[in-house]
Amino acid sequence: MKWLKRTAAAGMTAVMLFSCLPAAGAVQPGEELTRGETASILLEAATDYNADVTYGDILKGYPGGDLNEDGAVTRAQALVMLQRAFSGLPEPKGDNARSGYPAANFTDIPAWAQAELEDVLASGIVAGTSATTFSPDRKITKEQLELFLQRTYALEGSNLKDDFYATVNKEALDNSVIRPGYLGASAFYDLGAKVDEEIAGIIQELVDGGAKTEGEKKIVNFYRNILNIEARNAEGIAPIQPYLDAIDQAKTIEELMAVQNRVYEETGGTLFMGFGLNIDVKDNTAYTLLFDGITPSLGQGGYSTATLEQKAAYQTYVRTMLTLVGQSEAAASAAADTIWRVDAKIAAASLSNQELADVDKTYNIYTMEQLQAMFPRVDLEALFALTGLTQTNHIQVMDPGKLQAWAEIFDEGKTPDGLEILKTYARLYLAAGFGPALNEEFTEAGNAFSEAYMGSSGALSLEDSAAQYVQQVMSDYLGQAYVDRYFSAEAKADVEKMVQDILAVYRDRIETLDWMSETTKEKAIEKLDTIQINIGYPDDWDDTLKDVEILSAEQGGSFCDNLIAIQKGTNKLLAELQKTGVDENIWPMTTYTVNAGYLFTANSITFPAGILQEPFYDVDASYEENLGKVGYVIAHEITHAFDNNGAKYDENGNAVDWWTQEDYAAFQTLCEKVVKLYDGKESAPGITCNGALTLSENIADLGSVACLTEIESKRENPDYAALYTAMAEIWCSSYPRETRLYLAQADVHAPDKLRGSLVLQNFSEFYEAFDITEEDAMWLPPEERVVIW
């Protein structure tokens, strides 16, 4: 599992467009509705979906004809009335089927309502108050009823005035298919799969006899070693057995740290803690030393928000990995409980993913003496000496709370129980770090975890998995071959022009901001004008593996040996980088990456060749279609220069305050409005957006749509409908409910539904284009709308 690996390497703070939800959120309490009020609201809401429905059809009343219109209405009664209003709800398909709340979870539906509620519960729109409780007798409020209606509109997907995203993407969502081994289906995933196939084709050409250069021969050797599953299975855990034995024999922390030092020296990997490099955000021409320890596998929020099923899935994974490296079932089971408890403690003290992008929270400088005081039983000087790095007393700790929590766990290692905890972590990290290169049981354990925890289905074939490994570590060689085959000069020139057009409008928008002073505007425009633009591919190709031997099986090499050689080569490269300084023309991603990014420390935007193709960009598409898709990506990344994190960096990419105090206060007020706008908005029944976690990405989305709307307004015959439809289409995606739950607490991006719908609701042109009024669910009151840039 990639996220279980712990390696210290050069860090590059980049904001990505996609990655791919916070936990189920409760509706705010409000005034309870009467039966008559409920019927009236439902009648009005259902008219566009069931023209023949009447008030009497919905309410019906009690035996004997008493309507009891003034009586309170329960949730069960309201949902019965809802299905009457819509004459039943459609069977969920595709994304609605994946992300809806399972009807099987409910155990307390009253007998009188079971028949009439059957299709409502089956639709997935009913998210209860706990895993198995619906609280059917609880009274319903107007806010809760509106929430059920919003879910119904999404399920119906037939009226863009009620749910723009669901209606525009109805066919695609209903027919969405998630490929085996993938977590979701979207423009990013689908194009990524296409690119994966193209890269795999390039690799196969080389394997079939086309390898001529040293780099191409390394690709072939590495790929063949990954595919040599018979040899890997026969070797088993032999490559890491000496370290496992040494862990077993360690009787003190000092002896256990000697194992860590040996692992680092011989493989380049770490067990507990390590030193690396990070671009110095105060002086981006140089690197600063970085020190870090354990990072909980499920992230800062993954433990407190985990369902019982997710917790069980993770513990099963840990137990399996430990048994694969020789632990008994009983010992591994006990260890899995311990790992969960310790991970949860460290996670609770950690920064959130959004906070990790905040320079004010992550630029924490320590001396070696201060770090040594945190880990008194560890010889940090000896550990550092193995890195080849040049020591300074300027060492960045990005998450002090997390490191302190780990130090406390480490200090407990002086006791027998505490030492055993550390030995368990050491075994787990060896298993997770080396497992993918060992026998196939490790890979099977990872696939089983992904299915149980994330809801994925199936797995990549061995050939596809091998091609993806090659992609990850040999991008210097593959990138050039990919560009030569699949990226045109015409596309590069066209996108470069679009970037310049967007920058010009962005400049105009900054100049006319009514909340920013001329002093700060001048600095903002200076930053905008100095943004470095990377389109398609770099001018110069790196060869970071030039001194790394990738031996074939015939030469005595293996998949595991190759990975060790690459990791040791990377560590050596870090030592060289520290001396030479930061390359100002650095490319933070591969040329075939289906993504885009803004790099704070370089004030640069990067659009690799991988994303500059259909469905994001098409030379034959209409202007509005390209503007709403790749244009959205471009303007989004530009806005990251001015989001709540990017705003703390100047035109040179250094963390310098360039704001007046008054302007920054005004900016913060607007940011708070954005948090409120997104917070609690649903992407699926019972799964809501965390406005604080997703703030930076939401600012970027709002800035993007504001800029593109203005660009369209300057055209002779602006077609806002086409522009906004393209925006909704590019964010069409589908995920299993389990994945949505994970993303809710981990992803700094808002759910795709909000990126293709809620953001549009802040612009008057959207309402005009589709004749949306206060009577429609897509209406957002003007006082709640937010535009910053």
Side-chain angles (χ1 to χ4, degrees):
M1 300 303 296
K2 190 190 306 185
W3 56 65
L4 284 174
K5 270 190 178 178
R6 305 304 201 277
T7 56
M12 298 179 185
T13 304
V15 178
M16 308 299 287
L17 181 70
F18 170 76
S19 132
C20 323
L21 313 191
V27 178
Q28 293 300 313
E31 186 176 349
E32 295 175 354
L33 293 173
T34 66
R35 290 166 53 81
E37 290 168 337
T38 301
S40 296
I41 292 172
L42 290 172
L43 177 63
E44 182 178 359
T47 300
D48 291 332
Y49 303 86
N50 182 17
D52 296 329
V53 68
T54 67
Y55 181 85
D57 294 332
I58 297 172
L59 193 52
K60 290 189 177 179
Y62 292 96
D66 183 9
L67 293 179
N68 192 18
E69 293 175 276
D70 295 328
V73 63
T74 66
R75 292 185 179 187
Q77 291 169 342
L79 287 172
V80 167
M81 294 165 71
L82 183 147
Q83 71 87 22
R84 292 173 182 169
F86 286 83
S87 290
L89 298 182
E91 179 182 355
K93 300 177 182 178
D95 182 61
N96 283 316
R98 293 187 191 97
S99 59
Y101 193 84
N105 283 5
F106 296 122
T107 60
D108 59 349
I109 303 302
W112 68 265
Q114 286 180 357
E116 284 201 271
L117 283 182
E118 185 175 354
D119 73 324
V120 181
L121 297 177
S123 73
I125 71 165
V126 184
T129 53
S130 73
T132 60
T133 303
F134 173 51
S135 298
D137 295 328
R138 187 172 173 181
K139 303 303 184 290
I140 197 168
T141 66
K142 181 179 180 182
E143 291 81 3
Q144 291 165 343
L145 182 62
E146 288 176 345
L147 185 57
F148 283 126
L149 280 170
Q150 288 168 6
R151 297 170 183 172
T152 302
Y153 297 148
L155 183 66
E156 294 277 357
S158 59
N159 186 349
L160 57 80
K161 295 184 180 185
D162 286 334
D163 193 314
F164 186 74
Y165 172 90
T167 304
V168 166
N169 296 308
K170 173 66 173 174
E171 183 176 356
L173 290 170
D174 282 354
N175 297 316
S176 58
V177 176
I178 299 178
R179 292 175 173 83
Y182 286 77
L183 293 178
S186 69
F188 288 90
Y189 277 113
D190 295 345
L191 179 54
K194 173 178 176 289
V195 171
D196 287 343
E197 291 174 3
E198 292 167 345
I199 295 293
I202 293 172
I203 294 171
Q204 193 60 52
E205 288 177 22
L206 300 177
V207 171
D208 290 341
K212 298 179 177 60
T213 67
E214 286 303 309
E216 291 171 343
K217 292 174 183 177
K218 290 177 181 180
I219 289 173
V220 171
N221 289 345
F222 189 49
Y223 181 74
R224 283 177 170 164
N225 282 338
I226 299 171
L227 291 183
N228 194 356
I229 197 67
E230 289 185 10
R232 290 165 54 189
N233 286 340
E235 193 172 31
I237 63 171
I240 61 173
Q241 190 64 61
Y243 310 122
L244 293 168
D245 292 341
I247 291 168
D248 289 341
Q249 295 161 12
K251 295 180 174 57
T252 65
I253 288 180
E254 289 77 8
E255 291 180 4
L256 197 53
M257 281 305 301
V259 181
Q260 149 129 347
N261 292 356
R262 177 184 170 189
V263 168
Y264 184 86
E265 190 170 19
E266 295 177 3
T267 74
T270 63
L271 298 180
F272 304 117
M273 59 193 70
F275 291 92
L277 292 182
N278 204 20
I279 296 175
D280 193 325
V281 299
K282 301 290 185 179
D283 176 12
N284 63 7
T285 64
Y287 289 101
T288 187
L289 291 176
L290 187 70
F291 181 75
D292 203 1
I294 293 295
T295 296
S297 301
L298 303 181
Q300 188 262 350
Y303 300 85
S304 61
T305 63
T307 65
L308 293 176
E309 293 79 9
Q310 287 176 320
K311 180 179 179 180
Y314 180 67
Q315 290 183 305
T316 297
Y317 173 73
V318 171
R319 183 167 57 250
T320 303
M321 297 297 276
L322 291 175
T323 56
L324 288 175
V325 294
Q327 295 289 284
S328 69
E329 285 285 350
S333 293
D337 291 335
T338 299
I339 290 292
W340 180 272
R341 174 177 58 81
V342 175
D343 268 6
K345 178 178 179 180
I346 299 172
S350 303
L351 296 177
S352 69
N353 287 354
Q354 174 63 22
E355 290 172 322
L356 285 171
D358 185 345
V359 63
D360 294 336
K361 296 183 185 297
T362 59
Y363 195 71
N364 309 288
I365 304 304
Y366 287 66
T367 64
M368 185 68 84
E369 291 75 17
Q370 288 172 314
L371 294 175
Q372 186 65 74
M374 292 178 70
F375 295 91
R377 302 288 295 277
V378 178
D379 187 346
L380 290 181
E381 293 284 358
L383 176 61
F384 186 84
L386 297 173
T387 66
L389 296 166
T390 301
Q391 185 170 331
T392 70
N393 250 345
H394 188 86
I395 306 170
Q396 183 180 4
V397 173
M398 295 192 68
D399 193 340
K402 182 191 74 173
L403 188 65
Q404 182 59 48
W406 175 234
E408 291 171 5
I409 301 297
F410 213 88
D411 188 54
E412 294 174 7
K414 60 192 175 186
T415 67
D417 288 345
L419 182 63
E420 188 54 42
I421 290 174
L422 296 178
K423 292 168 77 169
T424 296
Y425 268 103
R427 296 183 189 104
L428 180 59
Y429 290 171
L430 280 174
F434 289 92
L438 302 178
N439 64 62
E440 60 188 332
E441 290 178 285
F442 288 92
T443 300
E444 290 169 354
N447 292 337
F449 170 72
S450 183
E451 289 193 26
Y453 189 91
M454 302 293 284
S456 64
S457 178
L460 296 175
S461 68
L462 179 59
E463 291 76 14
D464 288 342
S465 179
Q468 290 201 5
Y469 268 114
V470 177
Q471 280 191 50
Q472 292 171 21
V473 300
M474 297 197 170
S475 59
D476 294 348
Y477 306 132
L478 284 171
Q480 190 167 1
Y482 179 80
V483 167
D484 290 343
R485 287 168 173 78
Y486 298 108
F487 190 60
S488 70
E490 180 185 8
K492 182 179 176 71
D494 200 22
V495 173
E496 285 175 341
K497 181 182 183 304
M498 187 177 290
V499 171
Q500 292 302 326
D501 290 345
I502 291 173
L503 285 170
V505 172
Y506 222 103
R507 189 178 298 108
D508 292 341
R509 291 189 61 81
I510 291 175
E511 288 176 346
T512 57
L513 289 175
D514 59 5
W515 57 268
M516 182 182 280
S517 70
E518 294 302 318
T519 301
T520 307
K521 284 181 184 178
E522 184 177 340
K523 296 297 293 182
I525 292 173
E526 183 179 6
K527 181 173 185 179
L528 186 74
D529 288 343
T530 53
I531 288 179
Q532 178 180 315
I533 303 166
N534 303 319
I535 304 291
Y537 53 88
D539 294 330
D540 299 310
W541 297 93
D542 292 330
D543 188 0
T544 57
L545 298 180
K546 63 181 182 297
D547 297 326
V548 176
E549 281 192 321
I550 305 297
L551 302 179
S552 67
E554 293 75 16
Q555 295 168 320
S558 68
F559 183 14
C560 189
D561 292 335
N562 294 163
L563 284 184
I564 289 173
I566 291 167
Q567 183 61 61
K568 292 179 72 174
T570 300
N571 292 347
K572 182 180 178 182
L573 179 62
L574 293 184
E576 296 171 1
L577 287 174
Q578 187 184 22
K579 296 181 179 67
T580 60
V582 178
D583 180 357
E584 64 180 14
N585 296 314
I586 194 169
W587 265 67
M589 57 188 74
T590 70
T591 59
Y592 42 75
T593 297
V594 180
N595 213 320
Y598 174 77
L599 187 60
F600 294 138
T601 52
N603 190 26
S604 67
I605 50 177
T606 301
F607 308 102
I611 198 173
L612 300 179
Q613 55 184 310
E614 294 184 70
F616 292 92
Y617 169 77
D618 181 1
V619 292
D620 297 323
S622 70
Y623 181 87
E624 283 78 15
E625 189 169 0
N626 278 333
L627 189 66
K629 294 181 178 180
V630 73
Y632 195 130
V633 176
I634 294 168
H636 172 100
E637 298 305 338
I638 291 171
T639 308
H640 271 310
F642 306 102
D643 69 20
N644 57 306
N645 297 316
K648 296 178 180 179
Y649 293 78
D650 68 7
E651 73 280 3
N652 298 314
N654 289 315
V656 175
D657 185 5
W658 48 271
W659 295 73
T660 67
Q661 186 174 352
E662 295 77 13
D663 288 343
Y664 194 73
F667 176 59
Q668 288 296 99
T669 298
L670 289 169
C671 288
E672 290 167 6
K673 289 189 67 176
V674 175
V675 170
K676 184 178 180 180
L677 174 66
Y678 281 82
D679 204 42
K681 297 295 192 302
E682 283 195 339
S683 63
I687 302 177
T688 58
C689 181
N690 182 326
L693 176 68
T694 58
L695 174 60
S696 61
E697 296 295 336
N698 296 336
I699 292 173
D701 282 348
L702 287 165
S704 176
V705 176
C707 183
L708 302 184
T709 296
E710 181 158 338
I711 289 175
E712 186 65 20
S713 73
K714 297 179 183 298
R715 288 173 59 78
E716 184 174 351
N717 295 299
D719 189 346
Y720 296 112
L723 176 67
Y724 295 137
T725 298
M727 290 177 178
E729 289 174 343
I730 203 60
W731 293 114
C732 178
S733 66
S734 181
Y735 298 93
R737 186 173 178 86
E738 295 88 343
T739 298
R740 289 190 184 277
L741 285 166
Y742 172 77
L743 295 175
Q745 54 82 25
D747 193 3
V748 295
H749 301 81
D752 288 343
K753 174 166 186 166
L754 304 186
R755 304 187 73 180
S757 191
L758 176 61
V759 63
L760 306 181
Q761 294 175 262
N762 294 277
F763 300 92
S764 59
E765 293 85 351
F766 173 68
Y767 298 94
E768 295 165 7
F770 298 101
D771 191 29
I772 296 170
T773 70
E774 295 179 56
E775 305 302 317
D776 301 309
M778 284 301 299
W779 177 265
L780 185 68
E783 64 272 15
E784 295 181 19
R785 302 174 194 173
V786 190
V787 176
I788 299 181
W789 297 103

